[in-house]
Amino acid sequence: MDRIDQMLLREIADLEGVPQGAYNIRKNGKLEGRANSANIVIESKTDKPGIDIRIAPNTKHESVHIPVIVTQTGLTDLVYNDFYVGENADVDIVAGCGIHNSGCETAQHDGIHTFYIGKNARLRYVEKHYGEGEGTGKRILNPQTILYLEEGATVELETVQIRGVDSTKRYTRVEMDSNAEAIVTERLLTHGDQFAESRMDVVMKGEGAKTQVVSRSVAQDRSVQVFYPQVEGNGPCFGHVQCDSIIMGEAKVKSIPAISANHVDAQLVHEAAIGKIAGDQILKLMTLGLTEEEAEQRILEGFLS
């Protein structure tokens, strides 16, 4: 792998070179490298671009890395990845796309990820997006993440996009059976003229289901962000939605959380806040020796951590 590839892997998957254990690396629409483990099998689809990842029941303390690298200007890449997590498994999956566009044409990656999480299984899924490059071409990422949780399953979903992506339209859907739990955390920073839209549907179908949805974002310069998180309770369940945004410059942020209760014992709460950095926060840090720019950056890093 060349220097750019390794840099992108570090940004989106915390990897130095080729990872250990089960992994699948995709570069410019083609398979770059793959390895399976005794409990995790990755296979290419035969009917469309993408892979099937099968994790055996009772698999513990193993991980899967599936990074995507795009360095070819003018490329539009689309993949369909399906994940099958067996009963009682406890695993981590790290995905993401890094785009390095040095040309004048658009480079785009769209990933449709569908998860089937077995009874009492636990999954931590982290997805990171990153863009860079000195070219004038756009860097576009449009991910879809669909999760089906069986009884007692738990998922922690974390999505991160910090700078470099010109346009993104994200859709997330979670469907939960009885006693399942979903913790969804979204972190986003846009700048320049970038645009980001996030739509989310969380449906609690069974008794005892729980969800917590937290979105934290920073919009700088003239960028635009739109959020549509929706939680639906169809039985005795609990759900909480929280959207917090910092707005700067001439940016625009629209946050439209929604909750829908279809059962008398569905307990649902939502809240949203949009505002600028408080002046006293910056002044306090400046008294400790930081410049105004350094103080602002420290506040943003803490907010998005």
Side-chain angles (χ1 to χ4, degrees):
M1 288 190 176
D2 61 23
R3 180 187 60 83
I4 290 176
D5 292 350
Q6 295 207 23
M7 179 276 299
L8 291 174
L9 284 174
R10 287 195 298 270
E11 289 290 345
I12 62 177
D14 298 325
L15 296 176
E16 294 281 354
V18 178
Q20 300 298 312
Y23 66 84
N24 188 93
I25 301 175
R26 182 180 179 89
K27 180 180 178 181
N28 293 330
K30 298 179 180 179
L31 176 64
E32 181 78 4
R34 176 182 296 168
N36 295 329
S37 72
N39 297 311
I40 302 173
V41 177
I42 304 174
E43 298 177 323
S44 297
K45 290 184 178 295
T46 58
D47 58 340
K48 54 188 173 183
I51 54 178
D52 291 328
I53 301 95
R54 301 183 186 276
I55 300 172
N58 302 305
T59 300
K60 306 290 184 182
H61 311 302
E62 293 196 37
S63 62
V64 186
H65 289 81
I66 54 166
V68 172
I69 299 169
V70 176
T71 59
Q72 178 182 330
T73 190
L75 176 69
T76 297
D77 188 30
L78 170 64
V79 295
Y80 299 84
N81 296 334
D82 292 339
F83 304 79
Y84 302 88
V85 183
E87 291 188 9
N88 300 307
D90 188 343
V91 295
D92 293 349
I93 298 177
V94 180
C97 179
I99 295 180
H100 180 94
N101 192 354
S102 299
C104 59
E105 298 181 76
T106 295
Q108 179 172 337
H109 174 75
D110 298 342
I112 300 174
H113 293 179
T114 305
F115 295 79
Y116 304 90
I117 305 171
K119 186 176 180 180
N120 297 320
R122 177 180 293 272
L123 168 66
R124 179 175 180 264
Y125 177 58
V126 179
E127 185 174 273
K128 298 181 180 180
H129 289 158
Y130 176 76
E132 61 156 40
E134 62 277 13
T136 58
K138 298 291 186 181
R139 299 174 291 270
I140 299 176
L141 292 164
N142 297 318
Q144 292 187 33
T145 306
I146 315 297
L147 302 105
Y148 301 100
L149 281 66
E150 293 186 14
E151 181 181 355
T154 300
V155 64
E156 295 179 35
L157 169 62
E158 180 182 357
T159 63
V160 182
Q161 180 178 304
I162 307 296
R163 296 187 179 277
V165 178
D166 294 296
S167 175
T168 184
K169 290 186 177 181
R170 167 182 294 279
Y171 177 68
T172 304
R173 182 175 180 86
V174 184
E175 295 188 12
M176 292 182 284
D177 287 341
S178 298
N179 298 312
E181 181 176 5
I183 300 172
V184 182
T185 304
E186 181 177 58
R187 291 185 285 150
L188 173 70
L189 186 147
T190 56
H191 59 98
D193 295 303
Q194 294 173 353
F195 172 80
E197 177 183 283
S198 177
R199 293 180 177 269
M200 192 179 303
D201 293 314
V202 181
V203 182
M204 293 179 285
K205 301 189 295 183
E207 181 177 355
K210 295 187 295 183
T211 189
Q212 177 177 311
V213 178
V214 177
S215 176
R216 288 195 168 189
S217 73
V218 175
Q220 299 177 324
D221 305 321
R222 299 161 305 282
S223 62
V224 177
Q225 299 178 1
V226 184
F227 299 94
Y228 297 99
Q230 301 183 73
V231 171
E232 178 181 321
N234 295 321
C237 60
F238 176 80
H240 179 241
V241 184
Q242 179 180 337
C243 300
D244 294 322
S245 298
I246 291 178
I247 188 168
M248 306 172 68
E250 301 174 39
K252 298 179 181 179
V253 178
K254 181 184 294 185
S255 185
I256 312 170
I259 51 178
S260 178
N262 300 318
H263 191 281
V264 67
D265 290 321
Q267 302 179 53
L268 307 176
V269 179
H270 76 71
E271 52 186 313
I274 302 172
K276 63 180 182 179
I277 298 175
D280 58 347
Q281 291 179 297
I282 293 179
L283 288 175
K284 183 177 180 180
L285 289 176
M286 291 178 66
T287 62
L288 300 176
L290 299 180
T291 66
E292 183 175 355
E293 292 76 14
E294 290 171 338
E296 183 178 274
Q297 185 62 30
R298 188 72 61 85
I299 292 169
L300 295 181
E301 290 174 354
F303 178 74
L304 292 171
S305 64

